[in-house]
Amino acid sequence: MNGSRPFSILVIDDDRSMRQSLAELLEAAGWQGTTVARASAGLERLDALSPDVILSDVRMPGMSGLELLDVLPPEAPPLVLISAHGDIPMAVKAMQDGAYSFVEKPYEPRRLLAILRHAAEQHRMQQSNARLKARLFELSGLDRVLLGQSAPVVQLRQDILDLADTGTAVLIVGETGTGKELAARALHDLGPNADAPFLALNCAALSAGTFEAEMFGVDGGPGGRLLAASGGTLFLDEICSCPLDVQAKLLRVIEDKQILPVGGQMPVPVNFRVVTATNEDVDLAVTEGRLRKDLLFRLNTMVLTLPPLRQRRDDLTLLTTYFLEKFAMLYETAVPEITQDDLAVLLAHEWPGNVRELRSICERRVLAARRGGGSMASAIRIDQHPDDVPDTLREAVAAFERELIGKAIKAHEGRMDAAAEALGIGRRTLNEKIVKLGLDKSALL
């Protein structure tokens, strides 16, 4: 038995004598069991009982065991099927559809109990892991570090939680301003060595001439930055900009897990997790000879891809509100209101600088508000030509519609019915907007 709490089971079988036999077997083995005659009755009581495993007959009046398998929710406990009419194809299909196991009648008691115990242990472990991840998520503030509720960001946070305690090498890929160092620090902070050092190196600033003395240390002198970071995380930012001579030295350290101080005779062991980041295409960098292929193979065991802000526009209002409130508190002023004009401008902007750019724009907006004026349009204009941002809500909405419609037409290769469906409008409405917005369909294709 797993700990002090006995396993619980829901038994579904229309044969009363079989239910009684199974109940006696399970009770003798220390299980807590509930038996029902119909699958529908089992479904109704599933939430209230919260069993560790379900044992169900295959052929029953009404809903069969295979049909039960199809309607069980994803978080349901594992289902073990039992049948006197089972055959190999049925068993294979049941397993492919998600059944934990398949047992034929007459069953061998020890084998059945072993299967049920393993299924229950697996379910409890999954529940425990889910609770732990939820607790870690809550404690880490990961949802505040990587803010957003769009699907790409939710998945990114889950990937970080999954990878944090593995210790494996992770390559973080994303455009400038997407938060690559934030993701790297989250991997470190949620990992088993969170109390150890986090050493961030800008690879573009590394020099082959000074690398060994700075990183490996000098015999009889300072120990070097890599030794100081041992036990923690080594974060290599802009890896594609790293000089090739330095790449060779990094590769040797990562492979050998030891360093040789300048002037020293004996290598010194080091151990750290390697997390790397780049805003470039690593395969192209390898092809162009700017990134060693053998080094890349050591760095990209797992890859995290950070979405650009333009692909998560649903998060714009949330992020803007967060940054405006943050800077309003910092500068001790009222939080500027996000108007419809502001929102239209935010949605129409391409965000080449991603979240970092939005953060700066929000700071400028708050500083302007302290002086009694400002708008999101004027804050954005600091970084671009004034003509790039529409002056009115109507112009901003038109620019946004023009961009979305153009992308839909390109994505569906000019198939207007498909483009209209993707945009959620009728074909006639799409045609009217193309004319109104002055779009040239042939130029888009």
Side-chain angles (χ1 to χ4, degrees):
M1 200 59 58
N2 188 13
S4 58
R5 182 166 61 95
F7 289 130
S8 63
I9 185 170
L10 171 62
V11 177
I12 306 172
D13 198 305
D14 66 314
D15 186 325
R16 177 180 296 180
S17 61
M18 178 59 68
R19 292 199 306 273
Q20 182 65 30
S21 172
L22 288 169
E24 292 174 357
L25 171 68
L26 292 163
E27 183 179 356
W31 286 66
Q32 290 182 344
T34 300
T35 64
V36 295
R38 296 288 186 271
S40 57
L43 274 177
E44 291 175 359
R45 302 184 63 182
L46 191 59
D47 289 340
L49 294 172
S50 297
D52 294 308
V53 63
I54 303 171
L55 176 64
S56 174
D57 195 3
V58 172
R59 307 197 183 203
M60 297 178 291
M63 183 185 298
S64 71
L66 293 175
E67 290 170 337
L68 171 64
L69 178 61
D70 290 336
V71 299
L72 283 175
E75 66 278 7
L79 174 65
V80 176
L81 293 170
I82 184 168
S83 176
H85 312 285
D87 53 20
I88 296 300
M90 181 184 292
V92 170
K93 184 180 187 309
M95 301 288 282
Q96 289 176 340
D97 290 346
Y100 182 83
S101 189
F102 187 100
V103 180
E104 287 191 80
K105 299 176 185 177
Y107 58 85
E108 200 284 307
R110 288 186 180 179
R111 179 172 179 270
L112 176 61
L113 288 173
I115 291 173
L116 294 175
R117 185 177 66 256
H118 292 157
E121 288 173 346
Q122 177 178 298
H123 182 57
R124 285 197 180 176
M125 185 177 298
Q126 289 173 344
Q127 287 185 314
S128 176
N129 289 342
R131 286 193 295 267
L132 176 60
K133 284 183 179 180
R135 181 60 178 155
L136 282 174
F137 189 91
E138 180 182 315
L139 292 176
S140 69
L142 187 56
D143 55 335
R144 295 187 293 277
V145 175
L146 296 170
L147 193 66
Q149 292 302 320
S150 60
V153 177
V154 172
Q155 183 60 55
L156 173 63
R157 289 198 294 259
Q158 185 59 55
D159 291 341
I160 288 174
L161 284 171
D162 290 341
L163 291 173
D165 60 355
T166 65
T168 190
V170 178
L171 172 64
I172 303 174
V173 180
E175 296 179 7
T176 298
T178 49
K180 295 187 289 296
E181 184 167 348
L182 285 176
R185 286 189 177 274
L187 285 169
H188 172 77
D189 292 341
L190 291 172
N193 300 317
D195 294 335
F198 177 89
L199 175 61
L201 298 180
N202 184 335
C203 293
L206 298 178
S207 167
T210 60
F211 180 83
E212 291 193 1
E214 181 181 358
M215 298 298 160
F216 299 170
V218 178
D219 188 40
R225 299 180 69 185
L226 292 185
L227 184 60
S230 187
T233 299
L234 174 63
F235 175 54
L236 302 172
D237 198 9
E238 299 185 40
I239 187 62
C240 293
S241 299
C242 188
L244 288 173
D245 289 347
V246 173
Q247 290 185 34
K249 300 177 190 297
L250 283 172
L251 177 62
R252 188 172 69 247
V253 172
I254 293 170
E255 287 184 334
D256 298 343
K257 295 185 178 179
Q258 59 183 18
I259 58 175
L260 182 63
V262 175
Q265 301 297 319
M266 295 294 295
V268 179
V270 290
N271 183 33
F272 38 68
R273 181 182 198 171
V274 180
V275 179
T276 320
T278 182
N279 58 6
E280 296 190 48
D281 183 332
V282 290
D283 293 329
L284 179 60
V286 169
T287 301
E288 294 177 350
R290 295 183 292 111
L291 179 64
R292 293 177 60 119
K293 182 182 291 188
D294 49 1
L295 177 59
L296 176 61
F297 289 159
R298 287 288 185 177
L299 303 177
N300 68 348
T301 303
M302 297 299 296
V303 178
L304 281 178
T305 301
L306 274 57
L309 187 53
R310 62 182 174 276
Q311 291 181 4
R312 41 181 295 217
R313 293 182 188 272
D314 290 347
D315 290 332
L316 271 171
T317 303
L318 176 65
L319 289 166
T320 302
T321 301
Y322 171 78
F323 287 131
L324 289 178
E325 290 178 350
K326 177 179 179 180
F327 287 116
M329 183 180 297
L330 177 65
Y331 294 114
E332 299 180 345
T333 189
V335 180
E337 179 187 357
I338 303 175
T339 67
Q340 287 299 317
D341 285 350
D342 289 336
L343 184 58
V345 170
L346 291 170
L347 291 172
H349 190 53
E350 277 299 299
W351 300 108
N354 294 292
V355 178
R356 184 184 299 161
E357 179 187 8
L358 176 61
R359 185 180 186 277
S360 297
I361 287 171
C362 289
E363 184 174 13
R364 288 199 294 269
R365 176 69 185 93
V366 169
L367 289 173
R370 290 183 70 192
R371 301 190 296 270
S375 66
M376 281 297 175
S378 61
I380 290 176
R381 284 193 186 105
I382 300 292
D383 291 331
Q384 63 179 33
H385 193 278
D387 293 338
D388 291 341
V389 178
D391 291 318
T392 67
L393 175 60
R394 179 177 296 178
E395 291 172 345
V397 171
F400 187 49
E401 285 188 335
R402 191 177 292 110
E403 177 190 356
L404 287 183
I405 292 172
K407 287 182 177 178
I409 293 174
K410 287 180 182 178
H412 295 281
E413 300 176 341
R415 298 189 302 276
M416 303 304 288
D417 287 336
E421 183 179 354
L423 291 165
I425 59 178
R427 170 65 183 274
R428 180 176 177 180
T429 302
L430 176 59
N431 290 338
E432 291 173 351
K433 287 186 177 293
I434 289 175
V435 174
K436 182 179 178 180
L437 297 170
L439 283 169
D440 184 351
K441 177 183 172 183
S442 60
L444 292 172
L445 301 175

